[in-house]
Amino acid sequence: MAIGIFGLPLSGKTTIFNAVTRGHAETASFRSGSSQPNIGVARVADGGLDILAEISRPKRIVHAEVEYIDIPAAPEGFGKTRGIGGEYLNLLQRCDALLLVARAFDDPSVPHVQETVDPYRDTATLQLELTFSDLAILERRQERIASQLRSARQAERDQLTREQQVLGLIRAGLEEEVPVREQDLPSEAKPYLENFQLLTAKPLIVVFNIGEDAIGDVATIEAEMRDRLGRPGVGAAALCGKLEADLAQMEPEDEAEFRESLGAGEPGLDRMINISYDLLGLISFLTTGEDETRAWTITKGMSAVEAAGKIHSDIQRGFIRAEVVTYDDLARTRSIAEARKQALLRTEGKTYVMRDGDVVNFLFNV
């Protein structure tokens, strides 16, 4: 899973990036107009893997991971271009979800690009940037379709006409400032959406980068954010980027102690991952054995045979059955043999719908 982080200049988005990846990216380089993105990988915390490793004694433990891409601001700055284009657009299009950082802290030494601090205004500005980008993509495609129709044969003409109609529906919604994720579109629109990777179709996480003086007000701030920004496919959170980035560099025990003393709550990394999983409809299943104990990320509702394909296509192709036990049951019984003895190990077929925390052994023959 890849998440693209973007925001207005001096919003603290690179600081947020450092907080959620435990990274050390230089924030000053982005102020000076660096064109290279920061890319970091965050490990999804899962204490269950450690318990399973105690049972299986594997050679290695592999956590699920989330890739974060910190998009550099355009030379003229997001919010002024009326659309995101070029390499910045390509970077955002490859992401599964977007993380919008809006500045909500006062700092006279770091002037705001809009002179005043208003995170709701900045959020609206950046969402319009996404909309303008999508409209530009659709407009270019519709112009090309109009050109192709002049010389197309009947079969091709019918296909192009259907595409033109679907794109017209999407465009009309965008012109009314309705993001694609909220539009009620026909099923035939799905392949076009997958092809164009429109930005307003992607799940969006809005993060207000607050100051340390507002840490005690996080619950109130987030309640207001949910009330004003809550929409389908949109998550909201308030983080103190500077504090989170500092805490992320500490040893886990020291970090936990400081968080408790400051009332800083759950680590920003964990919060972002939880919100991302919820928005994208993701769950994890586990495999464990002598070689490896591992968490695998899949979509809610995925069948056993589809989940098997996440491990290897041969397992999906030769799928026979799946042996499944819940993590809680295996952690309690401490062995597969004991779980089987207590009738807690189930045999499931191809159509079994995977559940979060399933511990699975796929049997296959190729």
Side-chain angles (χ1 to χ4, degrees), residues 46-56 286 288 293 324-340 342 344-345 357-360:
D46 190 341
L49 286 178
D50 295 329
I51 300 299
L52 293 184
E54 291 177 8
I55 296 171
S56 301
L286 311 170
T288 190
T293 293
V324 184
V325 60
T326 69
Y327 163 76
D328 289 338
D329 286 339
L330 185 55
R332 179 172 52 81
T333 58
R334 307 297 294 183
S335 76
I336 293 293
E338 183 61 25
R340 180 180 285 110
Q342 295 185 26
L344 299 173
L345 185 70
D358 277 346
V359 183
V360 188

Side-chain angles (χ1 to χ4, degrees), residues 26-39:
E26 176 57 59
T27 56
S29 65
F30 269 27
R31 292 187 188 184
S32 62
S34 169
S35 61
Q36 295 302 312
N38 291 315
I39 300 176

Side-chain angles (χ1 to χ4, degrees), residues 154-226:
Q154 188 60 47
E156 184 183 4
R157 177 180 294 274
D158 291 343
Q159 183 177 353
L160 289 170
T161 299
R162 285 195 297 272
E163 181 180 356
Q164 187 80 287
Q165 292 171 343
V166 171
L167 298 188
L169 286 174
I170 299 172
R171 186 173 175 179
L174 288 171
E175 289 172 346
E176 294 295 324
E177 297 186 21
V178 180
V180 175
R181 75 179 77 87
E182 295 182 32
Q183 294 185 24
D184 184 16
L185 297 169
S187 58
E188 61 184 309
K190 184 176 180 180
Y192 302 121
L193 295 178
E194 292 175 348
N195 182 45
F196 293 120
Q197 288 294 308
L198 298 177
L199 300 184
T200 66
K202 298 179 183 295
L204 178 69
I205 305 168
V206 178
V207 172
F208 281 7
N209 187 10
I210 62 175
E212 291 188 40
D213 58 336
I215 290 174
D217 301 322
V218 165
T220 301
I221 295 170
E222 291 187 342
E224 181 181 356
M225 291 177 71
R226 288 191 293 270

Side-chain angles (χ1 to χ4, degrees), residues 97-173:
L98 306 180
L99 194 160
L100 184 161
V101 177
R103 176 173 169 175
F105 64 89
D106 286 307
D107 185 345
S109 67
V110 184
H112 193 289
V113 293
Q114 299 290 351
E115 296 185 0
T116 59
V117 175
D118 184 343
Y120 290 102
R121 175 201 61 207
D122 295 348
T123 297
T125 296
L126 288 164
Q127 286 181 299
L128 278 176
E129 289 277 357
L130 303 182
T131 298
F132 288 136
S133 296
D134 286 352
L135 283 169
I137 291 171
L138 295 178
E139 183 179 0
R140 287 194 296 270
R141 178 55 186 161
Q142 286 186 306
E143 289 175 354
R144 185 174 179 183
I145 289 174
S147 176
Q148 291 176 317
L149 280 171
R150 288 194 287 269
S151 59
R153 296 181 178 180
Q154 188 60 47
E156 184 183 4
R157 177 180 294 274
D158 291 343
Q159 183 177 353
L160 289 170
T161 299
R162 285 195 297 272
E163 181 180 356
Q164 187 80 287
Q165 292 171 343
V166 171
L167 298 188
L169 286 174
I170 299 172
R171 186 173 175 179

